[in-house]
């Protein structure tokens, strides 16, 4: 079975299990519902326009409140069914570029994260958003956990950590990810793409932290 199909099977199994076992709203902990109507309403896209590492960035939501809790549940708790709830935000962010469709390339998942989760968060979100992502950006080396690092430390941590496929030479590329914070990861993705002659048109993310979401 191709690896991309295997990822979808794993995600489907995790999603099915989340329906079998008792759960609570990822946004407010209301019992017996994966996401209540009130919290779902908080995920309605409100596209933010920003810039990070020299890239135009569009984000569907601010990384705060319900959006932050739902994203954490998807990433940390294996609740893959929530990707469907977050997908409209990513789709809106991508649509905000308003250009002929570029090649959509998700930020790569590290081997450690893949072993832990069993699925690639950015790629899963992109598929649920109908963006047809292509796995042409890969991890070139192991990086440390970004949490707790300063802006400069994050940039140093990810420098040279990605490798792009030569098949992207001359292609316009839209980078997709779940959240943008300092922009270090997106900047490294853009560097790797430019190194093979690709043209990053920008990045679309589900959410952006307050510093990366200055206006709607």
């Amino acid at each position: 079975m191709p690896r991309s199909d295997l990822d979808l099977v794993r995600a489907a199994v995790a999603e099915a299990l989340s329906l079998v076992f008792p759960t609570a709203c990822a946004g407010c902990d209301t019992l017996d519902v994966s996401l209540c109507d009130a919290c779902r309403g908080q995920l309605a896209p409100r596209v933010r326009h920003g810039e990070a590492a020299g890239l135009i960035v569009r984000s569907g939501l601010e990384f705060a409140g319900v959006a932050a809790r739902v994203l954490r549940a998807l990433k940390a708790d294996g609740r893959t069914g929530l990707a469907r709830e977050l997908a409209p935000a990513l789709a809106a962010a991508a649509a905000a570029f308003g250009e002929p469709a570029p090649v959509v390339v998700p930020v790569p998942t590290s081997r450690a994260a893949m072993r832990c989760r069993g699925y690639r968060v950015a790629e899963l979100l992109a598929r649920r958003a109908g963006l047809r992502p292509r796995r042409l950006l890969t991890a070139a080396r192991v990086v440390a956990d970004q949490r707790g690092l300063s802006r400069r430390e994050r940039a140093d941590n990810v420098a040279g950590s990605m490798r792009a496929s030569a098949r992207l030479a001359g292609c316009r590329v839209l980078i997709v990810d779940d959240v943008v914070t300092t922009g270090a990861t997106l900047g490294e993705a853009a560097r790797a793409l430019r190194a093979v002659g690709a043209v990053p048109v920008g990045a679309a993310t589900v959410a952006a932290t307050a510093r990366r979401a200055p206006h709607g």
Side-chain angles (χ1 to χ4, degrees), residues 32-108:
D32 299 324
V33 60
S34 62
L35 191 69
C36 72
D37 290 341
C39 288
R40 184 175 289 108
Q42 293 298 308
L43 299 182
R46 298 177 293 278
V47 177
R48 269 69 176 167
H49 304 260
E51 180 274 336
L55 281 174
I56 296 171
V57 180
R58 304 287 185 257
S59 304
L61 300 165
E62 182 177 347
F63 186 68
V66 171
R69 290 193 289 273
V70 174
L71 268 166
R72 290 188 186 111
L74 167 63
K75 298 177 67 174
D77 300 335
R79 297 179 61 175
T80 55
L82 295 171
R84 296 183 185 278
E85 307 290 354
L86 294 164
L90 181 58
F97 281 88
E99 299 181 7
V103 178
V104 174
V105 176
V107 166

Side-chain angles (χ1 to χ4, degrees), residues 81-168:
L82 295 171
R84 296 183 185 278
E85 307 290 354
L86 294 164
L90 181 58
F97 281 88
E99 299 181 7
V103 178
V104 174
V105 176
V107 166
T109 298
S110 69
R111 290 183 180 180
M114 186 63 192
R115 286 195 299 269
C116 179
R117 297 188 184 117
Y119 54 95
R120 296 170 172 82
V121 173
E123 185 174 322
L124 175 61
L125 287 163
R127 289 188 185 282
R128 293 291 184 261
L131 297 180
R132 298 183 180 179
R134 298 181 65 185
R135 201 179 301 164
L136 297 174
L137 191 63
T138 57
R141 65 170 178 80
V142 176
V143 299
D145 192 325
Q146 294 276 72
R147 289 174 295 185
L149 299 182
S150 68
R151 181 187 299 271
R152 171 50 56 190
E153 289 170 337
R154 283 175 177 245
D156 292 342
N157 184 42
V158 299
S161 66
M162 298 182 198
R163 181 183 301 114
S165 169
R167 285 184 287 169
L168 289 170

